[in-house]
């Protein structure tokens, strides 16, 4: 068994070559599926798998999507231990991205919401006060109905970027192209940061780059789908790189804090990384004094980014209220939502209406706060107990941040496939074993069809039961070993 942090065994050249070209064929098939039946502006909304199958070209669309996804997932999975070299990983990831770069939007219609929110702001309307329908966006028909009347849930920096895309692109097609360029720029920023982070942590860059950049979720949802998660991850990774390379340097930590703060003003979920970055900002064994001193510069930069971006945009903190609408949809892919749905179904059998979904979502959010505190405390204790805290600091901090993002994804009120890219990027840099987070990311690829149809909508009851059963199986299996390991470490 490969020890954590040790270089993974080299993949045989024949296996690596076969994986590269199988993945390329898969990416091409996904691009073909996008042209046949992707999330095009004039595609019919409210489609079902059956209606897609009956549409002209429907069987070909679904076949290309299924086979392409399987090839891409299989190729990525086959080299999860590490690509033959760092350069090989980057070249292959870029090769797979090329067909998807010229494909229509895939797997989601969110990019049209971005376009309308940018149009709303560019025309002098506050996107945090009204939905895009009330603002009069001319591309409203392309936006998913559930998001037409809700305020924007994204931070002011992304609203400014969306407005810039509208100004540069002009029409809808040009705006989508500009938004995709912005997403790719975020990915490139993250790709440039990965080698430095991998060296600081002591993991093979060829493994980290392969897991973080070549994953099918990245190509389908961050490149073709142009999701703003790409920008958030690029800012996060670049900020973390400065922290691990320049601890105890006030101006460097201030700059890193600005980048992390900008990530938060794209998507608020990035905020869970900041406390772990503060641990990485301390060079030696952390103390309360050193944490306040070095972490203070980091926190100051983040706060400055929040305040300045809110002031420059003229929108203030209205986007915080928009976050409450992100859970408007109820899907079994969110574990707390799935458990709440099962309780509601059970109540309906006896003539009751428990309204359990909001309750379980609230409990999950409270649990998330507790989990984040425990993860941070464990990272603090690990650095305090380490014989060489300077060497352990980057790995402990990045692993804690990755686990914090994983907990955020699992305990959030709603889950979309591209959310899995958040922890994937950081755990690729810090985790010794990879299967436990690579497998869910691979499975998430099959949750959405090329036109953005979410399969969770059509499997609500059986999906909720299956998710709840999975939790009941995993919790007794996973928790006792974790508790025993913790007691052993305490002794």
């Amino acid at each position: 068994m490969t020890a954590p942090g040790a270089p993974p065994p080299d993949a045989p050249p024949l296996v690596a070559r076969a994986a590269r070209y199988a993945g390329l064929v898969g990416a091409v098939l996904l691009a073909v599926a996008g042209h046949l039946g992707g999330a095009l502006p004039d595609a019919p909304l409210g489609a079902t798998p059956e209606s897609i199958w009956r549409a002209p070209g429907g069987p070909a669309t679904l076949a290309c999507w299924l086979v392409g996804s399987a090839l891409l997932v299989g190729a990525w999975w086959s080299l999860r231990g590490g690509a033959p070299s760092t350069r090989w990983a980057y070249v292959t990831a870029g090769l797979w991205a090329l067909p998807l770069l010229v494909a229509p939007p895939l797997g989601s219609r969110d990019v049209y919401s971005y376009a309308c929110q940018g149009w709303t702001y560019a025309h002098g309307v506050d996107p945090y006060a009204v939905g895009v329908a009330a603002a009069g966006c001319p591309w409203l028909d392309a936006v998913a109905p559930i998001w037409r009347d809700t305020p924007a849930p994204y931070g002011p920096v992304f609203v400014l970027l969306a407005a810039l895309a509208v100004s540069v692109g002009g029409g809808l097609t040009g705006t989508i192209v500009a938004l995709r360029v912005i997403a790719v720029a975020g990915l490139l920023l993250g790709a440039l940061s990965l080698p430095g982070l991998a060296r600081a942590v002591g993991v093979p860059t060829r493994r980290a780059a392969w897991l973080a950049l070549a994953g099918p979720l990245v190509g389908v949802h961050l490149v073709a789908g142009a999701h703003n998660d790409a920008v958030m991850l690029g800012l996060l990774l670049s900020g973390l790189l400065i922290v691990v390379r320049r601890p105890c340097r006030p101006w460097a930590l201030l700059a890193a804090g600005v980048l992390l703060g900008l990530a938060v003003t794209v998507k608020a979920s990035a905020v869970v990384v900041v406390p772990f970055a503060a641990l990485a900002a301390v060079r030696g064994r952390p103390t309360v004094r050193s944490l306040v001193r070095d972490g203070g510069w980091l926190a100051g930069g983040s706060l400055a980014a929040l305040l300045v971006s809110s002031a420059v945009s003229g929108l203030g903190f209205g986007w915080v209220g928009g976050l409450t609408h992100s859970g408007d949809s109820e899907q079994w892919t969110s574990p707390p939502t799935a458990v709440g749905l099962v309780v509601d179904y059970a109540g309906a059998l006896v003539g009751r209406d428990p309204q359990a979904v909001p309750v379980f979502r609230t409990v999950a959010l409270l649990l998330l706060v507790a989990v984040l505190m425990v993860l941070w405390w464990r990272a603090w204790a690990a650095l305090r107990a380490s014989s060489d805290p300077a060497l352990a600091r980057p790995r402990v901090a990045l692993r804690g941040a990755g686990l914090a993002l994983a907990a955020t994804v699992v305990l959030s009120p709603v889950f979309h496939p591209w959310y899995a890219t958040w922890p994937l990027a950081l755990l690729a840099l810090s985790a010794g074993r990879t299967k436990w987070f690579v497998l869910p990311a691979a499975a998430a690829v099959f949750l959405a069809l090329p036109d953005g149809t979410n399969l969770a909508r059509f499997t609500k009851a059986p999906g909720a039961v299956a998710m709840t059963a999975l939790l009941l199986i995993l919790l007794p299996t996973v928790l006792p070993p974790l508790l025993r390991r913790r007691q052993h470490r305490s002794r």
Side-chain angles (χ1 to χ4, degrees):
M1 183 181 294
T2 303
D10 291 331
L14 184 59
V15 172
R17 193 177 303 115
R20 167 180 277 182
Y21 292 107
L24 178 59
V25 172
V28 170
L29 287 174
L30 289 175
V32 172
H35 285 286
L36 291 175
L40 299 165
D42 55 352
L45 301 180
T48 66
E50 183 181 359
S51 67
I52 296 173
W53 177 266
R54 294 180 179 276
T61 300
L62 293 177
C64 287
W65 179 259
L66 183 60
V67 176
S69 297
L71 286 172
L72 204 55
V73 167
W76 182 57
W77 176 268
S78 67
L79 297 180
R80 65 190 181 280
S85 68
T86 301
R87 182 178 182 276
W88 194 95
Y90 275 91
V91 170
T92 303
L95 192 65
W96 291 1
L98 284 178
L100 300 170
L101 192 61
V102 296
L106 281 173
S108 166
R109 306 189 71 85
D110 281 7
V111 70
Y112 300 117
S113 297
Y114 302 163
C116 272
Q117 289 159 8
W119 184 94
T120 299
Y121 178 79
H123 286 76
V125 182
D126 185 351
Y128 301 142
V130 298
V132 295
C137 177
W139 310 315
L140 184 64
D141 290 343
V143 179
I146 192 173
W147 306 124
R148 291 178 181 178
D149 298 310
T150 57
Y154 310 114
V157 165
F158 185 71
V159 170
L160 291 172
L161 289 174
L164 175 64
V166 171
S167 301
V168 172
L172 179 58
T173 301
T175 300
I176 301 306
V177 170
L179 286 168
R180 184 170 289 177
V181 169
I182 291 171
V184 171
L187 278 178
L188 290 176
L189 183 60
L192 290 173
S193 305
L194 278 172
L197 286 168
R199 285 193 295 270
V201 173
V203 302
T205 307
R206 57 195 174 97
R207 192 199 76 166
W210 180 257
L211 293 177
L213 299 177
L217 288 174
V218 174
V220 172
H221 292 293
L222 302 192
V223 176
H227 278 282
N228 55 11
D229 306 69
V231 180
M232 180 192 79
L233 287 173
L235 292 168
L236 274 183
L237 292 176
S238 59
L240 289 170
L241 177 62
I242 295 176
V243 173
V244 299
R245 278 190 168 180
R246 297 288 186 270
C248 302
R249 307 283 181 86
W251 290 108
L253 294 177
L254 190 66
V258 168
L259 290 171
L260 296 176
L262 291 176
V264 175
T265 59
V266 174
K267 291 197 100 165
S269 48
V271 73
V272 302
V273 173
V274 177
F276 297 92
L279 285 177
V282 180
R283 182 184 295 277
R285 185 170 283 104
T287 63
V288 173
R289 182 178 179 182
S290 63
L291 186 63
V292 171
R293 181 194 64 214
D294 299 324
W297 285 103
L298 192 77
S302 298
L303 184 60
L306 287 168
L307 295 176
V308 171
S309 61
S310 298
V312 169
S313 66
L315 297 174
F317 288 92
W319 58 286
V320 177
L323 295 174
T324 59
H325 294 279
S326 60
D328 285 353
S329 62
E330 294 183 355
Q331 301 174 8
W332 61 263
T333 47
S334 160
T337 301
V339 176
L341 289 172
V342 169
V343 173
D344 283 343
Y345 294 147
L349 293 176
V350 295
R352 302 283 185 177
D353 185 13
Q355 297 286 321
V357 170
V359 175
F360 277 91
R361 284 178 165 182
T362 302
V363 170
L365 290 177
L366 294 175
L367 179 61
L368 174 60
V369 173
V371 169
L372 293 177
M373 293 174 65
V374 169
L375 288 173
W376 188 88
W377 179 254
R378 288 184 61 185
W380 164 274
L383 291 176
R384 292 279 298 171
S386 174
S387 59
D388 191 351
L391 182 64
R393 173 180 54 85
R395 188 182 188 92
V396 169
L398 289 183
R399 181 177 174 81
L403 291 173
L405 285 172
T408 303
V409 170
V410 170
L411 295 173
S412 288
V414 67
F415 170 81
H416 296 294
W418 48 94
Y419 288 6
T421 60
W422 309 346
L424 181 63
L426 290 181
L427 293 174
L429 286 161
S430 56
R433 297 179 179 179
T434 61
K435 187 181 296 185
W436 67 273
F437 64 89
V438 172
L439 184 58
V445 176
F446 298 95
L447 289 175
L449 295 179
D451 69 337
T453 298
N454 190 335
L455 293 179
R457 288 167 41 208
F458 308 102
T459 54
K460 199 168 184 179
V465 172
M467 176 63 78
T468 304
L470 181 63
L471 291 175
L472 293 175
I473 293 171
L474 287 181
L475 289 179
T477 305
V478 173
L479 285 182
L482 288 178
L483 293 175
R484 285 195 298 268
R485 193 180 308 167
R486 184 176 180 183
Q487 291 173 356
H488 176 72
R489 288 175 178 173
S490 299
R491 288 196 297 269

